Amino acid sequence: MTSDPAVQWAATVIFGTLSAWSLWRLTTTRRLLVAASHLFHLGMSLAMVVMVWPWWVRLPAVPQVAFFAVGAACFAAAAGWYGIDALSRPAGSRGPTPDRRRAGHHESARCQAAHAVMMLAMVWALAVMTRHGGPAVGHAAEHAAVHGAVPAPLDALTAAGGAVLVVLLVVGGALFLVAAVRHTRSGGAARDRAGLDHAGLDLMAGGLMSFGTAAMCGLMLAG
């Protein structure tokens, strides 16, 4: 994806930190949906760390694509579920209740859709990296990865799809940040003994992950 050490280490630090947060949330939450969300994002963050280093070509792509495709489907289903739930409530009660505010973005159809876009972006990135210098082409792929090059330019359809994903990822990142501000202003924070607002930090992590994924996909488009 890149041979720039600054980009490689910046991505490693950012997504490594997000991996640690997702792992901690995964092991401490008691809610199934929240746990599933952090499981998928843990896999995503770890994959993003691996992608910026030359040895990513040694890892099989198919299981990763399957994992993120399932993640995209799960988040899309959750977005539909919460969207229907919001529409089914009386007009005067469609805003988030105190319990929903404390739960954070997991009850927001729009943020669930933003999660789904991140999963789709991972599927796109893995497909591109496999097709243009991935595990399927062995030593040539590793040589290309080391030198930060792709063997062939992206076709128009693939590039257009990537550009759309970048735009959606940026919009999703902004959505998370707006939701984080609203969460703080609404007084929905529920802090633990360490003083951590889990829902607020989840929203901030979602924004950072969405912007970071947009940047990485942008690098791939720039080639």
Side-chain angles (χ1 to χ4, degrees):
M1 181 184 294
T2 180
S3 59
D4 186 341
V7 175
Q8 290 173 325
W9 283 109
T12 299
V13 171
I14 292 171
F15 287 102
T17 301
L18 290 171
S19 297
W21 173 253
S22 294
L23 178 60
W24 185 76
R25 290 286 282 128
L26 175 63
T27 57
T28 56
T29 187
R30 296 180 179 178
R31 301 181 63 202
L32 180 60
L33 179 59
V34 180
S37 174
H38 288 295
L39 175 63
F40 285 120
H41 283 299
L42 173 61
M44 177 179 173
S45 297
L46 291 174
M48 292 295 282
V49 170
V50 173
M51 280 181 177
V52 298
W53 297 101
W55 45 270
W56 70 267
V57 297
R58 301 193 181 106
L59 302 179
V62 173
Q64 298 179 69
V65 171
F67 177 81
F68 294 118
V70 171
C74 290
F75 283 121
W81 174 268
Y82 287 120
I84 293 172
D85 177 63
L87 291 173
S88 66
R89 294 198 302 271
S93 63
R94 287 181 184 174
T97 63
D99 286 340
R100 289 179 182 274
R101 285 198 301 266
R102 283 194 292 272
H105 65 290
H106 301 289
E107 276 71 19
S108 166
R110 288 175 296 179
C111 287
Q112 288 288 340
H115 286 304
V117 170
M118 283 190 266
M119 297 293 113
L120 286 175
M122 293 301 296
V123 173
W124 177 87
L126 285 164
V128 168
M129 294 175 76
T130 301
R131 184 198 238 171
H132 298 269
V137 290
H139 179 73
E142 188 165 0
H143 181 271
V146 169
H147 292 86
V150 289
L154 301 180
D155 60 85
L157 184 60
T158 301
V164 170
L165 284 171
V166 169
V167 172
L168 292 176
L169 286 166
V170 171
V171 172
L175 175 65
F176 279 118
L177 295 185
V178 169
V181 172
R182 289 179 176 174
H183 170 81
T184 302
R185 290 181 176 177
S186 69
R191 300 180 182 276
D192 63 10
R193 293 181 180 179
L196 295 175
D197 172 16
H198 295 160
L201 289 173
D202 281 347
L203 288 166
M204 293 178 64
L208 181 58
M209 188 172 293
S210 193
F211 285 130
T213 307
M216 300 303 286
C217 289
L219 284 173
M220 295 179 67
L221 287 172

